[in-house]
Amino acid sequence: MAGQSDPHPSHFSAQEVEFMAEDEIIEIVPNMKMEPLNLICGDYGPFFPQMVTQVPIWLAIALKKRGKCAIRPPSWMSIESLTRILESERESQEAFQVLPFHYVEISRLLFDHARDDISDIYMVRSLIEDIRDVRFHKVETSLESFEDARSSAVRINNLSAMEVNIVRPFVGRALQAFYKHGSPDLIPNPERVSNSISNRWQQAPDQGQRRPLRKR
């Protein structure tokens, strides 16, 4: 994990955040009959053809790779839902819309492993990218207001796992400087913080060669 080699243990790699997202529950439609799976993390099944059941994403992907099921994209990934969320994000410059904590990772996993199960996949992908960009711009604005208000705390509701992971190291160091020196003037320049976060945000979606963290 990040704490073993990273000097800033509050920050996880994109692969590690995605790995944690694989435990989220999703619906599948099996095309086979199988007895329940009794695993350490829980019991799943029994499985019957064309009977919707819920399993973790990692199990859904494993069954999908073997041609044993189709994956049902969650309701929030519909074009209608994403369009509504995007419009609401653009209308409010302060509030963040409620999305699954791992919406970035879940959508990426489904784009990689269940493309044929997603209707209008290119439109869905475009809408999610637009939502992510709008939300990140609002995160940057929130950090700037943190400096302007000379605040000793930051509270931003409804951030996703990837957004929190990108922002947290910078905010943490800023607060440490504030408490150490007792002066808000010593909090890092928000423009420098914003540029650093932007670079990290651009790198996050492109994971390059993925490595398995552990065998499922």
Side-chain angles (χ1 to χ4, degrees), residues 7-206:
H8 305 293
S10 63
H11 178 72
F12 296 92
S13 69
Q15 291 91 341
E16 288 170 325
V17 177
E18 184 175 289
F19 180 75
M20 291 184 283
E22 291 182 359
D23 286 327
E24 295 293 311
I25 299 299
I26 199 168
E27 291 185 342
I28 64 170
V29 181
N31 56 24
M32 54 32 174
K33 183 177 180 180
M34 188 168 67
E35 295 298 318
L37 296 175
N38 305 117
L39 308 174
I40 294 177
C41 59
D43 299 331
Y44 304 102
F47 302 91
F48 298 99
Q50 305 308 311
M51 296 291 290
V52 176
T53 187
Q54 294 184 332
V55 297
I57 291 178
W58 64 264
L59 179 55
I61 292 174
L63 294 174
K64 175 72 175 179
K65 287 181 177 179
R66 290 165 175 78
K68 302 296 185 181
C69 75
I71 296 178
R72 274 194 173 182
S75 58
W76 59 266
M77 281 187 66
S78 68
I79 291 179
E80 295 77 10
S81 177
L82 291 173
T83 300
R84 184 170 59 254
I85 292 171
L86 179 58
E87 291 174 351
S88 299
E89 292 284 5
R90 286 173 171 169
E91 288 173 359
S92 175
Q93 296 303 311
E94 297 179 358
F96 290 78
Q97 299 303 303
V98 178
L99 279 165
F101 188 55
H102 288 287
Y103 84 93
V104 175
E105 298 77 43
I106 292 173
S107 60
R108 187 179 301 154
L109 286 166
L110 296 188
F111 292 151
D112 288 347
H113 302 287
R115 296 175 59 88
D116 56 329
D117 294 327
I118 303 175
S119 301
D120 300 311
I121 183 172
Y122 296 108
M123 178 62 72
V124 171
R125 186 196 298 270
S126 177
L127 286 169
I128 290 177
E129 290 178 352
D130 289 343
I131 290 171
R132 188 188 63 193
D133 292 342
V134 170
R135 287 169 65 93
F136 179 64
H137 176 72
K138 289 157 70 170
V139 169
E140 289 182 318
T141 302
S142 298
L143 290 180
E144 291 174 1
S145 64
F146 162 59
E147 164 68 10
D148 295 338
R150 297 295 193 268
S151 174
S152 60
V154 178
R155 180 174 181 176
I156 308 176
N157 294 328
N158 299 327
L159 289 186
S160 71
M162 190 65 75
E163 292 159 354
V164 170
N165 194 53
I166 291 171
V167 170
R168 181 167 47 190
F170 301 96
V171 175
R173 286 195 289 272
L175 292 176
Q176 287 174 1
F178 172 78
Y179 287 124
K180 178 179 180 180
H181 301 286
S183 172
D185 294 331
L186 294 177
I187 294 178
N189 186 300
E191 181 177 353
R192 190 185 315 118
V193 171
S194 176
N195 291 337
S196 298
I197 297 176
S198 296
N199 292 335
R200 191 180 295 272
W201 180 266
Q202 293 170 3
Q203 295 170 2
D206 183 10

